[in-house]
Amino acid sequence: MARKNIALETSLVVAVLIAAFVMQSVISQTEPPELPDSVKEEAVVKLAAVQEEVVLDAALVERPSLIIPAAYDPALADLGIEPNWLTLDDYQYTLSKDEFQRLLTDVFTVGDYWEDWFNFEDEHVVIRTHAADPDRVYRLAFKNDIVEKEAEPYWRGRDKIIERTETSPLLGLKIVIDPGHIGGNYAQLEERQFVLAEGAPPIQEGNMTLIVASQLMEQLEALGASVTLLRVENEPVNPFRPDDYLAYAKSKLEQKNAVVSEATVQREAAKLFYRNGEIRARALLVNKQIQPDLVLCIHFNAGPQEDPEKPSLLENEHFHMILNGAYTEGEITHDDERFKMVLKMVQGVHQEEVGLAQSAALSFAAEAQLSAYQYAPNSSRAVNVVNDPYLWARNLLANRLYDCPVVFYEPYLMNGKDSYTRMQVGDYTGLRYINQQLRPSIYHEYVTAVTKGLVDYYTSLPEVQEEEDVVELEVEQDQIE
């Protein structure tokens, strides 16, 4: 009897295997074969036609999918997608009317052009959601004496980080470090390379930001933070390449009535790749996968050259921090940019960025001894913040697309006389005598300045909390008397 059972089971197994084989044969005729790992890692999706969307399968690269829209849409920013305004439902009753108006007029715009898009009423603001249809609107209710909600974004502000200790002041803090640009073989393409003279080693911003980011990660982790680098080599995060943007670039030039030629399309496609697509790829990782409490955008600056064909070094160097804001008249007409602006406002991003940037600027100015950069008083793209000479609001792609607070550093000049010498010397430990001063390497100085600014911010009490403490102390003293 036992042998019959074994025989029966064996027959069943064989039958199942045969059926599976037949089924697999059928499936293999209708589905593409599985790619080997080596192909998966190098997967690049080509744009077949303007009418088709390019989507990189997340399964191939183990990151959120990235999309190149089918064609340029003048109602959206470059490579933008239509926003879901219902996302704002979670932020009803989170801002007062006065605070919303203040942020809109003093921080996020530089003129009265916002009036074409926002209509204030007593209990809510009516926002035009579609540039092509003035009748499509979204109503955002203001908080009042009866209904008041607290914004609940994925990131946490200073008052929510309670894990830190005396020896680990950044414990519990989740940080992403974004080494600006790409560098390496892409430095010339992305126009972030300075060559003083023929034969001189090039100064490549993407290479330097990666050096700073790597050292900074080690330092911040030693202080308790959880840190992620958005890139670890001088290669794009963006899985697409310039050729993948050719159809979109052609569509954009055609709709803008610009010259359409092989050269202009290729040039536009390259810009879309490194200026826009690269940041959008990083934003997907930040917002959908990592979801940190803040992003540190590491950059180096450069000054304008009177004659680019005859590069020279500039005497006066400077430094400033960039917060999200100052949306231009053209930018606010884009549905996706207008949506992001409102989202920043209701999530309380600006308030957190102000505190972070003030602490960061104070620390950097002390370490690097750099004066504050000043935009033109009538600038249409920048707004000074809280009268701090180092803090300026601008609508950059990174600090707009990253949903959490962004600490955006713009120190030193790659073509500055002092910094150029230090950059050519490179990284080193200890102190060296450079430009008649004993100094650490420019990279160590950068890391120290960033670290001190963060520690100072997260170990100090919020001003509101300090005021409450004073009030409580006064009450206690009154009771004693």
Side-chain angles (χ1 to χ4, degrees), residues 40-97:
K40 287 181 181 180
E41 294 173 357
E42 299 175 1
V44 175
V45 178
K46 297 296 182 181
L47 185 60
V50 176
Q51 291 76 18
E52 298 179 359
E53 283 190 346
V54 177
V55 181
L56 192 75
D57 189 351
L60 295 181
V61 292
E62 297 183 351
R63 58 167 64 104
S65 59
L66 189 67
I67 295 175
I68 299 178
Y72 174 76
D73 186 343
L76 300 171
D78 287 352
L79 302 179
I81 59 175
E82 186 174 332
N84 178 11
W85 287 86
L86 296 180
T87 305
L88 297 177
D89 287 352
D90 292 336
Y91 300 97
Q92 296 284 354
Y93 303 103
T94 55
L95 274 184
S96 68
K97 182 178 181 179

Side-chain angles (χ1 to χ4, degrees), residues 90-108:
D90 292 336
Y91 300 97
Q92 296 284 354
Y93 303 103
T94 55
L95 274 184
S96 68
K97 182 178 181 179
D98 289 345
E99 181 64 4
F100 193 101
Q101 288 180 317
R102 184 190 71 82
L103 289 172
L104 180 63
T105 58
D106 295 349
V107 177
F108 284 93

Side-chain angles (χ1 to χ4, degrees), residues 455-470:
V455 171
D456 288 346
Y457 179 72
Y458 283 101
T459 55
S460 61
L461 291 173
E463 291 184 5
V464 173
Q465 183 65 46
E466 290 176 348
E467 292 173 359
E468 291 176 353
D469 290 345
V470 171

Side-chain angles (χ1 to χ4, degrees), residues 39 59 173 213 221 235 247 299 337 373 416 433 435 481:
V39 177
L173 188 62
E221 286 183 333
E235 292 292 332
H299 285 259
E337 294 196 70
Y373 177 74
Y433 197 64
N435 293 337
E481 294 174 354

Side-chain angles (χ1 to χ4, degrees), residues 56-357:
L56 192 75
D57 189 351
L60 295 181
V61 292
E62 297 183 351
R63 58 167 64 104
S65 59
L66 189 67
I67 295 175
I68 299 178
Y72 174 76
D73 186 343
L76 300 171
D78 287 352
L79 302 179
I81 59 175
E82 186 174 332
N84 178 11
W85 287 86
L86 296 180
T87 305
L88 297 177
D89 287 352
D90 292 336
Y91 300 97
Q92 296 284 354
Y93 303 103
T94 55
L95 274 184
S96 68
K97 182 178 181 179
D98 289 345
E99 181 64 4
F100 193 101
Q101 288 180 317
R102 184 190 71 82
L103 289 172
L104 180 63
T105 58
D106 295 349
V107 177
F108 284 93
T109 59
V110 196
D112 58 5
Y113 47 82
W114 61 265
E115 294 177 355
D116 294 333
W117 306 96
F118 296 85
N119 181 32
F120 284 92
E121 298 184 4
D122 290 339
E123 298 181 353
H124 57 262
V125 58
V126 180
I127 308 168
R128 279 184 58 188
T129 58
H130 291 72
D133 186 353
D135 294 328
R136 299 182 67 177
V137 298
Y138 180 87
R139 286 174 170 80
L140 182 71
F142 301 125
K143 70 179 182 181
N144 53 57
D145 295 337
I146 300 174
V147 183
E148 179 179 346
K149 290 172 55 180
E150 183 178 351
E152 295 183 357
Y154 69 68
W155 56 271
R156 298 167 300 164
R158 175 175 58 181
D159 59 330
K160 303 291 186 181
I161 309 295
I162 60 175
E163 294 94 334
R164 54 183 177 267
T165 66
E166 288 188 7
T167 56
S168 297
L170 302 181
L171 187 64
L173 188 62
K174 194 173 183 180
I175 300 174
V176 159
I177 303 179
D178 181 10
H181 305 286
I182 305 170
N185 296 330
Y186 294 87
Q188 187 171 1
L189 174 69
E190 59 183 352
E191 300 176 329
R192 300 309 298 174
Q193 174 174 286
F194 175 71
V195 179
L196 181 60
E198 185 176 353
I203 300 295
Q204 298 178 325
E205 183 175 2
N207 295 37
M208 296 191 300
T209 59
L210 187 56
I211 293 174
V212 172
S214 301
Q215 294 183 10
L216 183 59
M217 178 181 182
E218 182 178 351
Q219 179 64 72
L220 297 180
E221 286 183 333
L223 295 172
S226 171
V227 185
T228 303
L229 294 184
L230 282 187
R231 65 178 176 92
V232 295
E233 57 184 347
N234 295 122
E235 292 292 332
V237 175
N238 186 1
F240 296 117
R241 293 298 178 265
D243 284 352
D244 298 311
Y245 294 92
L246 289 174
Y248 184 92
K250 181 181 179 183
S251 172
K252 176 183 176 181
L253 294 176
E254 288 174 342
Q255 293 201 50
K256 287 184 170 292
N257 295 319
V259 175
V260 179
S261 66
E262 182 178 356
T264 59
V265 171
Q266 288 182 342
R267 185 161 55 247
E268 185 63 32
K271 291 179 180 178
L272 289 166
F273 157 69
Y274 71 82
R275 285 187 182 178
N276 201 298
E278 176 67 12
I279 303 301
R280 290 186 181 275
R282 298 185 190 194
L284 273 176
L285 292 177
V286 170
N287 299 334
K288 302 301 183 182
Q289 185 170 316
I290 309 171
Q291 296 193 332
D293 298 312
L294 73 156
V295 175
L296 305 177
C297 285
I298 306 300
H299 285 259
F300 287 85
N301 211 337
Q305 294 282 301
E306 292 185 6
D307 185 357
E309 298 299 322
K310 298 178 180 179
S312 58
L313 298 179
L314 306 179
E315 288 286 346
N316 299 321
E317 300 198 38
H318 45 71
F319 158 67
H320 68 293
M321 305 290 301
I322 300 177
L323 299 77
N324 184 246
Y327 287 56
T328 66
E329 185 172 5
E331 290 166 348
I332 204 175
T333 64
H334 293 145
D335 297 342
D336 54 333
E337 294 196 70
R338 191 164 61 259
F339 168 80
K340 277 290 189 179
M341 181 183 77
V342 175
L343 185 63
K344 292 283 185 182
M345 295 167 64
V346 297
Q347 285 190 335
V349 170
H350 177 71
Q351 293 86 330
E352 191 72 16
E353 284 186 350
V354 169
L356 281 161

